Amino acid sequence: AFGLYFPRKEYLENVYIDEPAGMPLLRIHALKDSYEEAAHFHLCQNLIISRARSHENNWFQIREKTGLLYLSKSLDRDDFNMLSVGNWMPLSKVMLYVFLSSHPFQENECDSATRTTVFLSLINATAPACSSLTARQLCFTEMDLSFHIKENKPPGTFHQLQLPSVHHLCQNLSISYKLLAAEGLPFRYNENTTSVRVTQRLDREERERYELIAKCTVREGFREMQVEVPFLVNVLDEDDSPPFLPNGTDTADAVVEFNRKEGTVLATLTVYDADTTPIYPLESSRKKYTGTIVTDDPWISETFRVEHIFDEIHFSPNGSQVRGTRHEYKLVLNKSISVTEHRYFQLDVLVNDTEFHGSERSVMLHFNVSILPVSIQFSNVTYQFTVNRNAERFAQIGKICIENCMKFHGVNITYKLLSPNASCYPVGILQGREDKYGSLYVNDSSVLRRPECKEIQYTVQATDKQSRKHTKTLLTVVLEGTLLKKEEDCPDSCAISKHHAECEECGGLGVLTGRCQWRQGSGKGITTNYSTCTPSIKTCPDGICDVVESRDPAVCPQDCTSGNIIGGHGKGIGNLGIKSGHGICYCFPRQNCYCEKDDIKEQLCDEVCKTVI
Amino acid sequence: PPGPVGQDPRGWRVPVDCVRANELCAGEPSCSSRYRTLRQCLAGRDRNTMLANKECQAALEVLQESPLYDCRCKRGMKKELQCLQIYWSIHLGLTEGEEFYEASPYEPVTSRLSDIFRLASIFSGMDPAATSKSNHCLDAAKACNLNDNCKRLRSGYISTCSRELAGSEPCSRRKCHKALRQFFDRVPSEFTFRLLFCSCKDRACAERRRQTIVPSCSYEDKDRPNCLDLRSTCRADHLCRSRLADFHTNCQATFQSLTSCPGDNYQACLGSYAGLIGECCPGAGRGSLPPRLHPCPSPSSSSPGFDMTPNYIDASTTSITISPWCSCKGSGNMEEECEKFLRDFTENPCLRNAIQAFGNGSDVNVAP
């Protein structure tokens, strides 16, 4: 297989005006996939001048066998000016690609993916004298010494520390290198060639990063200068580890009971892999690591699906941290399951590491699935509610709920009142779209006032939409209390009242006992606990515009208003209602709400009063 | 003073903007037909296959001499998106698209930080360097509120970005980004930079600075995507790609200058930083080119909120760390590249020096 590759993506070198033909610029190396391979280097395309211009390459060539890039023709000032056109920066950069092949170069072979980029900075000056260069410039280029080596590949030379151009120009200087912190590591520095070699096959799952130091010593007569730079080697991963189970766990229980909704995660099993899995691009990684339900039963394949997510985790095989992958396979309901369904079975999921070339490329996961039926029934034999005769329309009396109703997900229960065969029926039942319970409320307050209506019996029916299963129970509504005289000039909404006294004098839509209730807030800044007048502190304001409140904007504008709120306030979820307010909040239904400090008390104390104190 | 037509004093060609270049080319039959050919060559093909085709190569050679080749765009210009579309219609196929750093399609910034300081001291009536005890971020907010335009657009984005929605999303990120984009494009940098890059001595000030762009809506998200994934999404969109290329061009740290910034130009780096804040796709496909040529992901596509908006990662006063909302977790064999990309934000000496210089009210004295 053609497995030659470059140990780095980019190379960088400076080129000066009038450097002679034959001037060596830089050495490029290639690493192999197998011992037999021989690397051939070549340049194919034009020079790419930054900003998308290109020009025929008349100046640079590479030695096919050694990878030495050199000047084949001197770059004079005219060449420079030509190559700088279109460049805005004072410093011009040209770019060329070096291609790699395992056999001698043939024409039109330049679309190979194996290439590296060489950036040449064109410097508008003749090469500086060796004595004017710093040790840093004499020893290393501006680029980091950072390399990548694939794991499980044969050893080979991947870098030459000496800069060919400096070596060529500054022969009177003695420049020597050393590789520090390399003891016990699989890298060897050759002093004669200044080249660095990886001495054995690397294993990323053992160690994925090597941090060495390249040290350079420049001697000129008796002067000596030293520079140290980091020398980094990253080990590239390939799929050479099979999936495995943490603690050997390959089985999990999946119980379907109250939560029967499509999308419910029933159980999760985890598979580890010592290899890395890139999350970018996501879809291709998902395809490489598959999880499929093994079944012939069409009902199972319709009802369940497996969702695969993965993330990076760390292993520490021998002190050093290496990255690995945790794959999670979640058994998910693909559709809502009927309350009558009742089954037990084992569901197998085959996980396949498709790029691993070995026999243990797959593992089988087992889910013990229990689908339990749930009964639709009322736990109380009968419901009894008392209602004050002074309650107003939309007063909330209580909630109707079948056994475990709040635990249900994906079960649609509807509640209905079967009216008695009498003339007294003051109450109704309402249910929000996602509500699991029914809210009992006063539907017709005039009935409450009629003396002949005292105790009213209803039958409540709860029905499961999907299975049409239903259950019934008895509901007794007892009317109590004596009728109060209605205050005159009272508004129909409690929320209009701005003061404690006027609030409790009046009634309004939604009140339970004929009178509105005052909520005294903390009075500190803009708070959720603001002062306000409400039909019932229990339900209004509670931050939720419930199904009864939403029937009439006069019931609880504090939870339901979508109009303007004047004064310091915060709006509720979805821009509905007053979540928090400053001082007292009051509302004119279908119009504005106001939140303001009640400052009458302060007005009582005028200048005279202050003087007395 | 401008030199001869089409030349600046240093002898470089001064490019026209791409909208104008497109008009010039359209008026010339040979240019317009070559341009059409080249666009067909580039559509859905990589550079190498394109260059192998004789007709495509001929078109390229002719166009190298046309004004389209060197054309650029101006930040916030009237038809900015159309201009960028024309720019990338040529450059996408030529610059490989897989380069780590891309050249900016924008004209270089010639103004300097010192210009801002001069203006700032005129309207605030004080030298910003002298008021060492005050909360600079609060002063910046006050200065903005005293200017009608700044106040209007600032309160515009703040109310949009802090509006709570029903359901799972905390706010409309798309609208928030659009409002932020308008603020940074339409309000002069005297105001916007003071808000973004104010210097702080205590946490309250630094927290205010961090909160400038309403990060809970415009920046943070449930998951942190991989930075390379983020970059590829950004590059699929003309505006985001251009702003990112501009950031790389103006903020890429270099050893060859005193300040680590290209050309020692702090103003250019801060400007391209501010250019990254906000919306991904304004009015996608409104330009003259068919939108299908270079698809722009719709805001509701699979990766909502994917964008390059950078911000301060915490309210630290001692160290300034900037990052887009991404991490290098899950990079596989590309981890080195991912970290290099992220470091241009988190450990960039040019960007850090530029922010500090702005906060201190100091600029490099470089003869322009």
Side-chain angles (χ1 to χ4, degrees):
Chain A
F2 173 49
L4 289 166
Y5 68 98
F6 290 104
R8 58 188 302 166
K9 271 192 159 173
E10 292 171 359
Y11 290 84
L12 175 79
E13 187 51 77
N14 296 333
V15 180
Y16 296 90
I17 288 187
D18 290 334
E19 283 184 313
M23 167 88 187
L25 294 172
L26 67 114
R27 257 308 284 280
I28 290 170
H29 290 86
L31 287 167
K32 301 175 192 178
D33 192 27
S34 60
Y35 283 104
E36 314 79 70
E37 274 174 335
H40 298 264
F41 300 90
H42 35 262
L43 302 172
C44 293
Q45 280 163 8
N46 293 341
L47 288 173
I48 297 161
I49 307 171
S50 56
R51 314 210 55 80
R53 221 165 244 281
S54 61
H55 194 283
E56 202 182 331
N57 174 16
N58 298 325
W59 303 275
F60 306 101
Q61 277 185 32
I62 197 164
R63 300 231 183 276
E64 185 167 342
K65 295 243 170 82
T66 62
L68 184 77
L69 188 79
Y70 63 98
L71 264 179
S72 57
K73 178 174 172 285
S74 181
L75 265 135
D76 59 28
R77 192 162 292 279
D78 289 341
D79 297 333
F80 259 80
N81 289 341
M82 184 166 54
L83 292 176
S84 303
V85 169
N87 264 313
W88 278 47
M89 295 293 178
L91 183 82
S92 308
K93 251 183 205 173
V94 297
M95 197 168 91
L96 42 88
Y97 295 123
V98 176
F99 291 81
L100 196 51
S101 165
S102 54
H103 48 80
F105 167 61
Q106 282 152 14
E107 208 65 52
N108 294 329
E109 233 185 341
C110 296
D111 45 2
S112 137
T114 317
R115 65 166 190 218
T116 190
T117 311
V118 175
F119 290 100
L120 297 168
S121 297
L122 305 183
I123 296 171
N124 197 0
T126 50
C130 295
S131 56
S132 70
L133 293 173
T134 63
R136 178 74 175 75
Q137 288 170 314
L138 288 166
C139 294
F140 305 106
T141 65
E142 252 193 36
M143 239 171 206
D144 299 335
L145 286 179
S146 169
F147 306 89
H148 47 255
I149 295 178
K150 291 186 185 177
E151 65 172 336
N152 309 322
K153 303 291 178 209
T157 299
F158 63 94
H159 186 62
Q160 178 184 302
L161 285 164
Q162 185 183 66
L163 303 179
S165 54
V166 172
H167 184 68
H168 184 81
L169 289 173
C170 309
Q171 285 173 356
N172 56 334
L173 295 178
S174 143
I175 302 172
S176 62
Y177 295 87
K178 266 201 175 103
L179 207 53
L180 307 181
E183 301 81 38
L185 298 185
F187 303 102
R188 193 77 59 240
Y189 169 65
N190 180 332
E191 218 158 308
N192 296 329
T193 58
T194 76
S195 57
V196 185
R197 196 181 150 70
V198 54
T199 56
Q200 64 185 59
R201 286 172 190 261
L202 301 178
D203 180 6
R204 191 204 64 88
E205 285 73 36
E206 282 282 315
R207 180 162 177 179
E208 59 179 349
R209 196 174 283 213
Y210 295 91
E211 292 168 5
L212 296 88
I213 295 164
K215 181 180 173 181
C216 172
T217 308
V218 181
R219 271 190 212 91
E220 189 185 15
F222 294 105
R223 267 178 69 213
E224 190 180 288
M225 295 177 288
Q226 290 188 335
V227 195
E228 290 184 6
V229 295
F231 185 101
L232 305 173
V233 179
N234 285 294
V235 185
L236 294 189
D237 192 26
E238 63 171 19
D239 195 345
D240 58 348
S241 316
F244 66 96
L245 297 159
N247 311 324
T249 312
D250 64 351
T251 308
D253 290 332
V255 182
V256 180
E257 198 176 3
F258 300 115
N259 198 344
R260 316 176 80 91
K261 195 178 177 159
E262 190 263 313
T264 301
V265 177
L266 301 173
T268 302
L269 280 168
T270 305
V271 174
Y272 283 179
D273 194 313
D275 293 320
T276 61
T277 312
I279 59 172
Y280 161 73
L282 185 63
E283 279 316 305
S284 71
S285 290
R286 283 235 174 88
K287 275 182 204 139
K288 281 177 204 153
Y289 229 95
T290 57
T292 34
I293 296 176
V294 184
T295 182
D296 296 330
D297 185 341
W299 185 85
I300 291 180
S301 49
E302 274 168 31
T303 313
F304 298 91
R305 66 172 186 262
V306 171
E307 283 180 5
H308 172 209
I309 56 165
F310 55 89
D311 60 354
E312 191 175 288
I313 51 165
H314 290 278
F315 293 103
S316 309
N318 42 19
S320 74
Q321 264 201 344
V322 297
R323 296 167 300 150
T325 311
R326 172 177 51 213
H327 298 269
E328 284 188 326
Y329 291 90
K330 296 172 186 292
L331 186 67
V332 179
L333 282 184
N334 204 25
K335 60 181 190 189
S336 296
I337 296 185
S338 160
V339 290
T340 55
E341 202 69 63
H342 189 193
R343 294 187 197 216
Y344 298 93
F345 53 91
Q346 183 180 298
L347 189 151
D348 292 336
V349 171
L350 180 71
V351 169
N352 202 347
D353 180 359
T354 57
E355 293 202 338
F356 178 72
H357 301 288
S359 54
E360 314 110 339
R361 65 197 299 185
S362 50
V363 288
M364 190 69 90
L365 306 176
H366 311 285
F367 292 98
N368 291 325
V369 182
S370 323
I371 301 176
L372 307 172
V374 287
S375 52
I376 304 292
Q377 64 188 44
F378 284 103
S379 52
N380 279 10
V381 186
T382 57
Y383 278 97
Q384 178 158 341
F385 294 106
T386 46
V387 180
N388 190 296
R389 284 189 187 273
N390 298 296
E392 288 286 350
R393 191 166 148 83
F394 300 122
Q396 297 195 36
I397 299 160
K399 286 174 181 167
I400 305 282
C401 174
I402 61 165
E403 206 172 46
N404 298 312
C405 78
M406 295 310 281
K407 292 187 196 162
F408 282 136
H409 288 277
V411 181
N412 263 328
I413 305 288
T414 46
Y415 297 89
K416 208 165 89 182
L417 286 182
L418 307 176
S419 306
N421 199 6
S423 57
C424 303
Y425 15 83
V427 301
I429 201 162
L430 275 176
Q431 197 176 1
R433 193 136 49 99
E434 294 281 312
D435 281 349
K436 294 156 186 166
Y437 54 85
S439 293
L440 209 58
Y441 73 105
V442 173
N443 195 8
D444 185 350
S445 55
S446 67
V447 177
L448 299 175
R449 324 272 194 260
R450 293 201 332 237
E452 74 271 20
C453 299
K454 279 174 190 150
E455 192 176 292
I456 308 133
Q457 296 250 319
Y458 293 87
T459 304
V460 200
Q461 180 177 285
T463 312
D464 169 48
K465 224 180 197 169
Q466 199 184 358
S467 67
R468 309 305 310 164
K469 281 208 155 213
H470 56 265
T471 178
K472 288 177 185 171
T473 190
L474 283 179
L475 162 68
T476 312
V477 174
V478 181
L479 305 185
E480 57 155 38
T482 48
L483 277 175
L484 297 168
K485 197 175 142 259
K486 267 209 170 181
E487 290 287 327
E488 294 203 357
D489 304 329
C490 273
D492 69 338
S493 173
C494 295
I496 293 175
S497 297
K498 199 183 156 184
H499 300 290
H500 193 157
E502 72 186 50
C503 172
E504 289 180 346
E505 272 168 18
C506 282
L509 279 184
V511 298
L512 289 162
T513 57
R515 293 284 182 259
C516 299
Q517 298 177 337
W518 180 257
R519 185 176 85 165
Q520 185 59 45
S522 60
K524 281 178 192 153
I526 296 175
T527 165
T528 50
N529 187 17
Y530 54 86
S531 300
T532 196
C533 183
T534 160
S536 164
I537 288 173
K538 257 191 216 163
T539 51
C540 173
D542 62 354
I544 301 156
C545 184
D546 65 42
V547 60
V548 179
E549 287 166 356
S550 65
R551 289 299 285 260
D552 190 313
V555 180
C556 182
Q558 294 98 319
D559 280 341
C560 298
T561 183
S562 56
N564 289 329
I565 303 163
I566 291 134
H569 73 277
K571 281 193 176 172
I573 296 164
N575 260 359
L576 284 185
I578 310 168
K579 187 174 159 195
S580 51
H582 181 59
I584 299 166
C585 294
Y586 59 97
C587 295
F588 297 99
R590 295 178 200 84
Q591 294 171 47
N592 294 341
C593 290
Y594 300 85
C595 290
E596 60 194 27
K597 250 328 200 208
D598 184 13
D599 43 16
I600 288 174
K601 276 178 202 152
E602 281 149 55
Q603 276 174 8
L604 286 174
C605 187
D606 56 12
E607 285 306 311
V608 182
C609 133
K610 276 180 192 162
T611 326
V612 172
I613 294 162
Chain B
V5 182
Q7 293 257 310
D8 93 336
R10 278 158 290 191
W12 300 328
R13 269 214 286 199
V14 174
V16 285
D17 82 57
C18 298
V19 178
R20 177 80 188 117
N22 191 31
E23 286 165 9
L24 290 174
C25 181
E28 215 181 293
S30 82
C31 182
S32 65
S33 79
R34 299 295 174 157
Y35 181 39
R36 223 175 301 124
T37 309
L38 185 71
R39 266 165 51 186
Q40 273 160 9
C41 289
L42 293 171
R45 257 181 281 182
D46 66 49
R47 183 193 168 81
N48 296 321
T49 11
M50 192 207 86
L51 286 175
N53 182 314
K54 282 256 155 53
E55 208 182 329
C56 294
Q57 209 163 0
L60 194 62
E61 272 161 27
V62 171
L63 284 177
Q64 286 206 356
E65 301 310 316
S66 90
L68 269 174
Y69 222 80
D70 286 327
C71 73
R72 300 279 198 105
C73 301
K74 289 191 180 76
R75 287 166 204 79
M77 66 187 278
K78 210 172 159 197
K79 294 174 179 170
E80 182 176 349
L81 198 72
Q82 192 192 337
C83 184
L84 294 172
Q85 271 173 324
I86 295 166
Y87 177 90
W88 290 112
S89 74
I90 291 183
H91 289 254
L92 256 192
L94 300 183
T95 55
E96 285 301 322
E98 56 187 56
E99 264 174 68
F100 195 90
Y101 296 117
E102 291 182 322
S104 171
Y106 291 107
E107 285 184 3
V109 175
T110 49
S111 59
R112 293 270 160 184
L113 277 188
S114 25
D115 302 339
I116 288 193
F117 300 146
R118 216 169 41 241
L119 277 168
S121 54
I122 290 169
F123 60 72
S124 68
M126 53 184 158
D127 181 6
T131 55
S132 60
K133 274 194 179 158
S134 61
N135 180 332
H136 290 300
C137 299
L138 188 60
D139 293 344
K142 285 181 194 162
C144 178
N145 279 346
L146 291 175
N147 174 289
D148 283 344
N149 190 35
C150 187
K151 183 182 175 182
R152 187 173 56 83
L153 289 168
R154 179 165 172 263
S155 50
Y157 83 73
I158 288 177
S159 67
T160 307
C161 299
S162 38
R163 190 169 297 146
E164 247 181 85
L165 296 178
S168 55
E169 271 184 275
C171 65
S172 168
R173 194 186 180 95
R174 196 179 57 81
K175 286 184 183 162
C176 171
H177 277 171
K178 192 174 172 185
L180 276 167
R181 195 60 276 132
Q182 282 183 347
F183 176 74
F184 286 106
D185 280 349
R186 295 188 194 165
V187 176
S189 49
E190 291 95 87
F191 295 105
T192 56
F193 282 16
R194 283 184 88 187
L195 283 164
L196 263 186
F197 309 120
C198 41
S199 68
C200 283
K201 294 208 168 61
D202 59 61
R203 279 191 83 79
C205 171
E207 179 59 17
R208 177 182 276 275
R209 178 175 63 192
R210 191 184 77 84
Q211 292 284 353
T212 302
I213 62 164
V214 196
S216 61
C217 182
S218 68
Y219 179 65
E220 289 153 24
D221 209 341
K222 279 183 292 260
D223 303 313
R224 236 179 234 271
N226 182 275
C227 296
L228 296 176
D229 203 357
L230 194 62
R231 182 180 67 176
S232 81
T233 318
C234 177
R235 284 190 171 177
D237 167 61
H238 290 311
L239 188 68
C240 191
R241 183 183 204 131
S242 308
R243 298 295 171 101
L244 183 63
D246 196 50
F247 175 77
H248 281 149
T249 303
N250 292 315
C251 294
Q252 196 191 134
T254 167
F255 295 120
Q256 280 155 348
S257 73
L258 196 66
T259 58
S260 303
C261 283
D264 287 316
N265 192 341
Y266 284 150
Q267 166 84 16
C269 175
L270 295 181
S272 44
Y273 173 93
L276 282 174
I277 297 170
E279 185 186 24
C280 140
C281 302
R286 244 194 294 130
S288 66
L289 295 176
R292 272 192 305 121
L293 191 60
H294 302 298
C296 173
S298 72
S300 58
S301 69
S302 59
S303 44
F306 255 9
D307 63 81
M308 272 300 161
T309 302
N311 198 24
Y312 299 87
I313 60 158
D314 55 28
S316 163
T317 49
T318 48
S319 70
I320 290 175
T321 311
I322 300 281
S323 172
W325 188 255
C326 68
S327 82
C328 283
K329 229 182 144 189
S331 298
N333 279 338
M334 309 265 277
E335 195 177 43
E336 207 185 331
E337 184 168 350
C338 182
E339 281 175 353
K340 184 178 167 197
F341 176 81
L342 189 54
R343 269 200 306 273
D344 281 331
F345 292 93
T346 56
E347 293 170 34
N348 183 334
C350 164
L351 178 62
R352 192 168 303 167
N353 290 342
I355 292 175
Q356 271 160 2
F358 185 86
N360 299 337
S362 59
D363 194 4
V364 219
N365 286 319
V366 185

